[in-house]
Amino acid sequence: MEYLKGKRILLGVTGGIAAYKCCELIRLLRKAGAGVRVVMTPAAEQFITPLTLATLSGAEVLRDLFPSGGSVDHISSVREADLLILAPATANTLAKMAGGIADNLLTCCLLAARIPVLAAPAMNCAMYENPATAANIRTLRERGVHFVGPDVGWQACGESGPGRMSAPEAIFREAADLLLRPGQIRGTMVITAGPTEEPLDPVRTLTNRSSGRMGYALAGAAAMLGWRVRLISGPVTLDPPPAVDLIPVRTAAEMMDAAWREAKEADCFVGCAAVADFRPDHAARNKIKKCGEESLKLTLVPNPDIIRTIAGLDTVLAVGFAAETEHLAEYARHKLATKDLDLIVANDVSSTETGFGSEDNAALMIFRDGREVSLPRMRKEDMALRIISEINDLLDRQSRESAPV
Ligand code: CTP
């Protein structure tokens, strides 16, 4: 999903062996829709070529403090960017930053930056632990520079300790968090996603085929469109989208507890999880054995209906999903009414091309006032943006209507 569409990153690369990892960082940023411009120090060119970074970023690399054309790249490049990422950030460049030294194009950019700066330190563990480096990092933190890492572990110099640059994925997530935390927050949206798992015994569970993709796409879209997002997720194999707080749960009871706790403080609740309607009346303490039995009888007891409980809180806008294999609109209207929802998004899960486990979805949105909007087959990420936009419009309309005239 292009979470970072329209965002511009200035990536400063300094002279450390971890410079090779910034290739992957550029790929992640561009895949997320961000524009990337690279500025290198002369030392960085000892480790990686400008051609590599120009090819990956799709733009000429900035390297020359005194370009022949007289352009002032250090001013224009930071003025145009939304975030400056320093990866790797060597002890030397951090020291120059702390001391206000501007002796190459990148350190000039850092001194001229009025935008957020995210530094990913990378250096030998002894250099990292040196009191001078520690003091420089402390100073920079106090001045508002953001840091990610370093990690602890094996280092290229053969020693082990703190100083390894964070993985490109971790730097990407921090950068996305900084870029997406909205200045103007609409409020808090709680989203449930994925399946729940009800234990039968220590090794077996009752669950369903929900992949969590739709709920995770909604969480990403909500973060992009101005919400602080709390994502309560059953067990899935997905990474949470950037700038989203993940609350992992397993059973429906755990999801209920988390939903109740979070929704009391929230403005909107979106129930996208495929919650198990029933659970075994008890989970066996030990593994259930065959013991020559012809059949096994399970007694199931109902789980709480999470969204119906939350919709009882008058303070939240409640949005439900209806997964149906027949009579889509009829069953969805019934759920909208019985669960007291403001909006229900109904989708047909009998088709293999849309619904559970697939990349696409098609849906019918039904509002409390009877209005219906049909969403044709599209990628779940696109559908998520449409749904969150509709929720935003609905809330805007409601606040206009309740505003004093
Ligand atoms: N839901 C919930 N808690 C449950 C069951 C469902 O919060 N115990 C929510 C789902 O997250 C979804 C909506 O209720 O937003 C509808 O879920 P769905 O599985 O389609 O319907 P059910 O209420 O379970 O009814 P049925 O299984 O009979 O279709």
Side-chain angles (χ1 to χ4, degrees), residues 389-404:
S389 302
E390 289 281 354
I391 292 173
N392 287 356
D393 287 350
L394 182 62
L395 282 163
D396 289 346
R397 258 199 314 277
Q398 285 182 355
S399 69
R400 270 199 307 276
E401 281 161 16
S402 63

Side-chain angles (χ1 to χ4, degrees), residues 271 273 275 277 304-307 320-323 335 339:
V275 185
D277 290 327
D305 190 315
I306 299 172
I307 202 160
F321 275 70
K335 283 179 190 171
K339 293 178 191 254

Side-chain angles (χ1 to χ4, degrees), residues 13 70 87 97 135 137 140 159 206 232 246 249 260 275 301 335 393:
V13 181
M97 261 176 100
I137 291 178
L140 292 169
E159 291 186 54
L206 279 184
I232 304 172
L246 179 72
V249 294
W260 182 250
V275 185
V301 293
K335 283 179 190 171
D393 287 350

Side-chain angles (χ1 to χ4, degrees), residues 192-194 196 252 255-256 259 269-278 302-310 319-325 331 335 338-339 341 343-345 347 349 356:
T192 64
T196 58
M255 191 174 271
M256 178 74 245
F269 182 87
V270 180
C272 191
V275 185
D277 290 327
F278 293 92
N303 271 327
D305 190 315
I306 299 172
I307 202 160
R308 189 194 295 216
T309 314
I310 301 297
V319 179
F321 275 70
E324 307 294 350
T325 55
Y331 286 165
K335 283 179 190 171
T338 53
K339 293 178 191 254
L341 306 178
L343 164 65
I344 194 154
V345 183
N347 62 311
V349 288
F356 274 20

Side-chain angles (χ1 to χ4, degrees), residues 345-356:
V345 183
N347 62 311
D348 181 349
V349 288
S350 65
S351 155
T352 50
E353 290 173 342
T354 58
F356 274 20

